[in-house]
Amino acid sequence: MSITSILEKPSFTRNDIIQLLKLSGNDEKLLFKYAAKIKEDNIGNTVYLRGLIELSNVCAKDCLYCGIRKSNILSTRYSLVEEEVIEAAKFAYDNNYGSIVIQSGEISTKSFVNKINNIILQIKKITKGQIGITLSCGEQSIETYRTWFESGAHRYLLRIESSTEELYYKIHPNDENHNFQTRLNALKTLKEIGYQVGTGVMVGLPFQTIEHLADDLLFMKHLNIDMCGMGPYIEHKNTPLYEFKDSLIPLKERFNQTLRMIAILRIMMKDINIAATTALQTIDKIGREKAIQIGANILMPNITPGKYRDSYALYENKPCTDENAEDCKNCIDVRVHLVNHKVGYGEWGDSKHYKNPEKTSQI
Ligand code: 5AD
Ligand code: FES
């Protein structure tokens, strides 16, 4: 079957996706062009901003790929105080970013839960409810998710990392603290509470096959997600998975595979929000712009106070760690215009998919 006839199918089979993930050269260009057109027709060429605040790198988990895992004693730990988070949110508000994301290592202590709650309430107050708040703070109890939602957070990001249970347990310790089913349940709970829910995976993990990636895309479709963030896996030398570094596909290929994942997902889920992730920029200086051109519509400029950025090293060579928020603000607009898009200043830029009345939950 020709590539064009696959692209034009109303829905992709697993085999179709596998074929698309293997494309290169002119056929890959066709895929990218098709995905770009789907995006333009369905959600236009506006890119929405989420000012990213990396609240703390203190983490109770031990994910085998992650530079801020609990057992990495070489990581310098920090937690922003409430005032610093509010200050960063105010920067986003003053500069018309529309939304922020509060991301953090996973902690579930009472004081952490209360701190996030106070921050949400305060940000809502000082921005007169005008700034959208997305959380990315890992697995929490139903009560916690509900409390944060009622206080004003309305989007939640929780990557499944891999939707294949067997691979999940190769990249996480196999213990009750890293349970695949718990993660699935968390996604389900978030949906039931009413959050716009985002998930995603890393691309190019050790042991990962094209079939795993195809299943990840089908998983997202089946879960009927509202948002997605996918990025290339980047090895970190102070993590257990580093020992498999010689078995990885080259960085450039991880990058290209991520772009193909984004383009295929855009065709499969026409009106969701897809982020052009920071990890793409680590491999290619204009990686995020390339993602925007072929299907992504969300940028997450880092607005964490500069002095903490080095410490939030999920992976190595993370970009922009030596800049402050002001630098990023200036380059964002230029970068977005460079690929003939515009920034949706002052807008929440909610997932159109969430509002689609035809939407049904398939979990
Ligand atoms: N390479 C790429 N992405 C990573 N993340 C964590 N560690 C790495 C890594 N080594 C991603 C995970 C997590 C998100 C916040 O960062 O997917 O969900
Ligand atoms: Fe906790 Fe990575 S292991 S954020």
Side-chain angles (χ1 to χ4, degrees):
M1 202 187 293
S2 76
I3 297 306
T4 312
S5 46
I6 296 180
L7 291 173
E8 285 172 352
K9 282 173 130 188
S11 70
F12 295 153
T13 64
R14 187 169 186 260
N15 271 337
D16 293 335
I17 299 173
I18 291 170
Q19 226 180 305
L20 294 174
L21 282 171
K22 287 182 178 164
L23 294 182
S24 61
N26 280 339
D27 285 342
E28 185 188 54
K29 284 203 186 96
L30 268 182
L31 163 68
F32 289 161
K33 215 170 142 197
Y34 194 83
K37 177 87 170 72
I38 292 277
K39 185 178 93 164
E40 198 183 337
D41 290 351
N42 287 278
I43 55 171
N45 64 351
T46 304
V47 171
Y48 298 101
L49 302 182
R50 302 353 186 169
L52 175 64
I53 306 171
E54 295 161 333
L55 177 123
S56 168
N57 66 356
V58 178
C59 190
K61 285 212 163 171
D62 237 346
C63 305
L64 303 177
Y65 45 81
C66 184
I68 63 170
R69 62 197 299 270
K70 180 177 73 177
S71 298
N72 181 11
I73 50 166
L74 296 172
S75 160
T76 312
R77 304 291 166 171
Y78 76 89
S79 294
L80 300 187
V81 296
E82 280 177 34
E83 290 71 31
E84 287 172 314
V85 183
I86 308 297
E87 195 59 34
K90 203 165 170 300
F91 171 89
Y93 180 59
D94 292 343
N95 288 285
N96 265 321
Y97 274 22
S99 292
I100 55 163
V101 178
I102 299 177
Q103 191 175 74
S104 148
E106 192 176 303
I107 324 168
S108 313
T109 58
K110 214 168 170 184
S111 71
F112 178 79
V113 171
N114 287 339
K115 178 174 172 178
I116 298 288
N117 201 42
N118 284 337
I119 287 169
I120 298 168
L121 291 170
Q122 280 195 63
I123 291 174
K124 281 286 163 188
K125 193 166 156 208
I126 62 159
T127 67
K128 303 175 193 75
Q130 282 176 32
I131 207 143
I133 303 180
T134 305
L135 298 178
S136 176
C137 301
E139 292 163 23
Q140 304 286 345
S141 68
I142 299 190
E143 295 73 37
T144 299
Y145 283 153
R146 195 171 288 132
T147 305
W148 290 345
F149 185 75
E150 282 165 6
S151 294
H154 73 298
R155 296 185 281 239
Y156 206 101
L157 305 173
L158 184 68
R159 288 193 186 176
I160 190 72
E161 314 297 359
S162 168
S163 64
T164 304
E165 188 165 357
E166 196 193 335
L167 179 56
Y168 189 89
Y169 285 121
K170 286 187 174 154
I171 61 170
H172 297 96
N174 194 343
D175 61 24
E176 71 283 359
N177 212 7
H178 300 80
N179 186 282
F180 183 70
Q181 196 56 48
T182 307
R183 197 144 188 109
L184 284 181
N185 289 345
L187 285 166
K188 185 176 169 187
T189 303
L190 288 163
K191 258 187 139 181
E192 281 166 2
I193 292 173
Y195 282 97
Q196 291 172 50
V197 175
T199 193
V201 295
M202 284 173 284
V203 178
L205 286 162
F207 321 113
Q208 191 180 47
T209 62
I210 299 251
E211 286 74 18
H212 289 138
L213 291 172
D215 287 337
D216 289 336
L217 293 179
L218 289 168
F219 168 84
M220 293 181 213
K221 174 93 180 166
H222 182 70
L223 199 67
N224 210 4
I225 56 164
D226 305 299
M227 317 178 285
C228 176
M230 292 184 282
Y233 164 68
I234 299 168
E235 62 272 32
H236 188 300
K237 66 173 174 302
N238 302 322
T239 61
L241 281 194
Y242 194 68
E243 76 167 283
F244 302 104
K245 67 174 192 317
D246 295 332
S247 69
L248 300 172
I249 57 171
L251 271 179
K252 185 79 194 135
E253 188 44 33
R254 280 176 247 168
F255 177 86
N256 291 336
Q257 191 65 284
T258 308
L259 289 191
R260 288 191 290 272
M261 287 285 282
I262 291 174
I264 298 167
L265 183 65
R266 172 55 71 206
I267 301 169
M268 292 170 71
M269 303 191 78
K270 298 178 175 30
D271 56 359
I272 63 167
N273 280 347
I274 304 180
T277 54
T278 315
L280 284 165
Q281 198 190 346
T282 305
I283 298 181
D284 181 329
K285 282 201 161 32
I286 52 162
R288 293 182 305 178
E289 292 73 8
K290 288 181 179 169
I292 288 168
Q293 273 180 308
I294 56 95
N297 69 322
I298 301 289
L299 262 184
M300 296 163 63
N302 197 337
I303 57 169
T304 309
K307 64 178 169 175
Y308 297 110
R309 287 196 198 182
D310 268 340
S311 302
Y312 203 83
L314 303 170
Y315 44 85
E316 292 175 275
N317 302 320
K318 212 164 146 252
C320 284
T321 50
D322 54 358
E323 296 177 47
N324 58 40
E326 197 67 35
D327 295 325
C328 283
K329 184 192 81 172
N330 293 333
C331 76
I332 286 293
D333 204 72
V334 176
R335 283 165 170 267
V336 168
H337 279 97
L338 219 66
V339 285
N340 297 319
H341 280 64
K342 61 177 195 299
V343 176
Y345 286 112
E347 294 180 61
W348 280 14
D350 278 338
S351 166
K352 253 175 111 180
H353 190 72
Y354 180 78
K355 298 180 180 146
N356 181 349
E358 311 246 303
K359 190 175 173 248
T360 51
S361 173
Q362 296 175 308
I363 301 183

